[in-house]
């Protein structure tokens, strides 16, 4: 039997980067879809299942995974062809990109960063190219996906049980996807749980259709919508406790005034009530303090033991493993973007209505890809 096609091992930093691509509201839809497929494969979802979820062919998913394994994140961005022929050969472009991404000190130069002038002079001096202008070099680097950026901080998981926790979460996903037959005493239902918020009463940025301005605009057109400015927010915040049933592909959510252990257990009791007590339930969640059992408060562990429930925690700083994260992006886009609710009741009603709509249309062939990609 041929080996199953899966994405290569994705480290913590790459997982967070995939999650950022899926979460953000700008950029190419093609990139969103490709990143979603790669992330699902990194979460150990089968190729056929990914194809069903994203409404594409299994062969296309396999090709995408092979391309990502070979070229990394460059394979997620579409390369549209056309226009005049390239001025520089492919080896020259690769060498210029490699040099720009390196540090000048690595080449024995007494400065810490490149400028366009220094980089162009160095490339000519080293014989990489015969000549190149500063503007031509800037355009070439932009085409190659290289820009002048500020250095950011980053962190990776230092969880000593990283491999064990990740393997357990992936095993639960395999059970939910039907790849592994659950044995006696194993879980029949798998939820992914997380909190979304805080939910403020404020105008949210968003996009909508409106008449264009400019030279040929209609003099009688309505003014373009604007966001209301807010200076005080005296109404407090709310928090959404949400869970995603992997087997039924359904989203559940309760809005609470606080995000503490008591409210968390209230929501867990609701999830437990959805299935008979003899059915074992697994809940995948992060290491947020109200989710944990401590020496001073053992309520979470005691409740799980008494109610036939297992809490499967993702490794520290690895929330990208939680499949509910992609659902929050769609929720923010469809229920919050472009809104200005007057009360928490009105905002909560909008969120609950979206969740009901999403659960009713989760098998719609035209609407499902939009919900998954965003």
């Amino acid at each position: 039997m041929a080996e199953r096609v899966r994405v290569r091992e994705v480290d913590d930093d790459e997982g967070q980067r995939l999650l950022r691509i899926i979460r953000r509201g700008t950029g190419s839809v093609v990139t969103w879809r490709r990143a979603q497929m790669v992330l699902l494969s990194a979460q150990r979802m089968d190729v056929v299942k990914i194809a069903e979820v994203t409404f594409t062919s299994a062969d296309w998913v396999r090709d995408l995974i092979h391309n990502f394994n070979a070229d990394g994140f460059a394979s997620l961005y579409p390369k549209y062809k056309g226009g005049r022929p390239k001025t520089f050969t492919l080896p020259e472009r690769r060498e210029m990109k490699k040099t720009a991404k390196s540090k000048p000190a690595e080449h024995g130069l007494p400065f810490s960063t490149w400028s366009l002038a220094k980089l162009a002079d160095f490339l000519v001096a080293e014989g990489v190219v015969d000549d190149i202008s500063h503007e031509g070099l800037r355009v070439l680097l932009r085409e190659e996906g290289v820009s002048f950026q500020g250095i950011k901080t980053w962190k990776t998981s230092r969880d000593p049980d990283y491999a064990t926790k990740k393997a357990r979460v992936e095993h639960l996903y395999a059970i939910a996807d039907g790849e592994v037959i659950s044995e006696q005493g194993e879980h029949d239902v798998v939820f992914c749980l997380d909190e979304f918020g805080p939910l403020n009463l404020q105008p949210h940025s968003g996009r909508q259709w409106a008449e264009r301005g400019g030279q040929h605009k209609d003099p009688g057109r309505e003014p373009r919508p604007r966001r209301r400015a807010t200076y005080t927010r005296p109404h407090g915040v709310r928090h959404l406790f949400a869970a995603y049933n992997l087997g039924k592909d359904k989203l559940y959510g309760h809005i609470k005034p606080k995000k503490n252990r008591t409210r968390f257990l209230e929501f867990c009791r609701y999830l437990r009530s959805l299935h008979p007590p003899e059915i074992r339930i697994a809940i995948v969640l992060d290491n947020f303090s109200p989710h944990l059992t401590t020496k001073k408060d053992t309520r979470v562990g005691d409740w799980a033991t008494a109610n036939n429930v297992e809490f499967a925690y993702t490794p520290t700083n690895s929330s990208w493993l939680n499949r509910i994260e992609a659902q929050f992006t769609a929720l923010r886009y469809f229920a919050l973007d472009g809104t200005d609710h007057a009360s928490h009741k009105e905002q909560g009603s909008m969120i609950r209505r979206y969740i009901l709509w999403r659960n009713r249309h989760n098998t719609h062939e035209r609407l499902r890809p939009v919900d998954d990609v965003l």
Side-chain angles (χ1 to χ4, degrees), residues 201-221:
L201 290 183
Q202 66 182 61
H204 294 274
S205 61
R207 295 170 180 262
Q208 68 180 70
W209 297 103
E211 293 190 36
R212 295 180 59 182
Q215 182 178 359
H216 303 290
K217 69 180 181 181
D218 181 5
R221 72 181 180 94

Side-chain angles (χ1 to χ4, degrees), residues 87-105:
T87 303
F88 300 100
T89 63
L90 182 59
E92 290 174 340
R93 297 175 71 91
R94 287 179 175 174
E95 187 63 27
M96 285 188 279
K97 178 180 178 180
K98 179 181 177 181
T99 304
K101 293 171 64 178
S102 66
K103 296 181 179 180

Side-chain angles (χ1 to χ4, degrees), residues 185-189 269 271-282 303-310:
E186 282 258 289
H187 307 83
D188 300 309
V189 178
R269 293 188 189 98
L271 297 179
R272 175 70 272 185
S273 69
L274 298 176
H275 301 277
E278 62 272 11
I279 293 182
R280 186 160 176 77
I281 292 178
W303 179 86
T305 303
N307 290 274
N308 200 18
V309 174
E310 177 196 354

Side-chain angles (χ1 to χ4, degrees), residues 285-297:
L285 69 173
D286 58 25
N287 293 272
F288 180 46
S289 57
H291 301 166
L292 305 176
T293 295
T294 64
K295 294 181 180 179
K296 294 183 179 180
D297 194 334

Side-chain angles (χ1 to χ4, degrees), residues 104-239:
E106 297 175 3
H107 304 278
L109 300 175
F111 38 87
S112 61
T113 188
W114 293 111
S115 66
L116 286 175
K118 287 183 171 62
L119 180 58
D121 292 343
F122 179 80
L123 293 173
V124 173
E126 291 294 311
V128 178
V129 293
D130 295 331
D131 189 23
I132 187 170
S133 66
H134 299 166
E135 178 63 17
L137 179 58
R138 185 188 65 80
V139 172
L140 183 144
L141 293 177
R142 183 181 62 185
E143 292 173 351
E144 293 294 326
V146 179
S147 61
F148 200 65
Q149 305 172 8
I151 299 176
K152 298 181 179 180
T153 58
W154 64 279
K155 58 184 177 181
T156 186
S157 177
R158 296 185 179 180
D159 195 325
D161 299 324
Y162 178 86
T164 303
K165 291 181 178 180
K166 182 182 179 184
R168 183 56 183 164
V169 171
E170 291 174 347
H171 179 68
L172 293 174
Y173 289 164
I175 293 176
D177 295 338
E179 297 179 3
V180 175
I181 300 176
S182 59
E183 301 177 358
Q184 186 69 25
E186 282 258 289
H187 307 83
D188 300 309
V189 178
V190 180
F191 287 100
C192 289
L193 183 149
D194 201 1
E195 292 84 11
F196 177 82
L199 300 172
N200 292 290
L201 290 183
Q202 66 182 61
H204 294 274
S205 61
R207 295 170 180 262
Q208 68 180 70
W209 297 103
E211 293 190 36
R212 295 180 59 182
Q215 182 178 359
H216 303 290
K217 69 180 181 181
D218 181 5
R221 72 181 180 94
E222 298 179 356
R224 183 168 296 176
R226 294 288 187 268
R227 279 200 297 162
R228 176 178 59 90
T230 55
Y231 302 97
T232 59
R233 296 171 188 165
H235 304 289
V237 299
R238 298 292 185 271
H239 302 273

Side-chain angles (χ1 to χ4, degrees), residues 26-75:
T26 59
S28 170
V29 176
V30 176
T31 302
W32 287 344
R33 289 182 63 84
R34 292 179 181 180
Q36 180 198 22
M37 296 178 195
V38 172
L39 184 58
L40 290 175
S41 181
Q43 294 171 346
R44 292 299 182 264
M45 183 178 286
D46 183 68
V47 167
V48 177
K49 183 66 175 179
I50 296 175
E52 292 177 358
V53 169
T54 56
F55 291 94
T56 186
S57 67
D59 289 338
W60 168 242
V61 177
R62 292 188 185 96
D63 290 341
L64 175 64
I65 292 174
H66 286 310
N67 292 339
F68 184 85
N69 291 341
D71 302 327
F73 282 86
S75 63

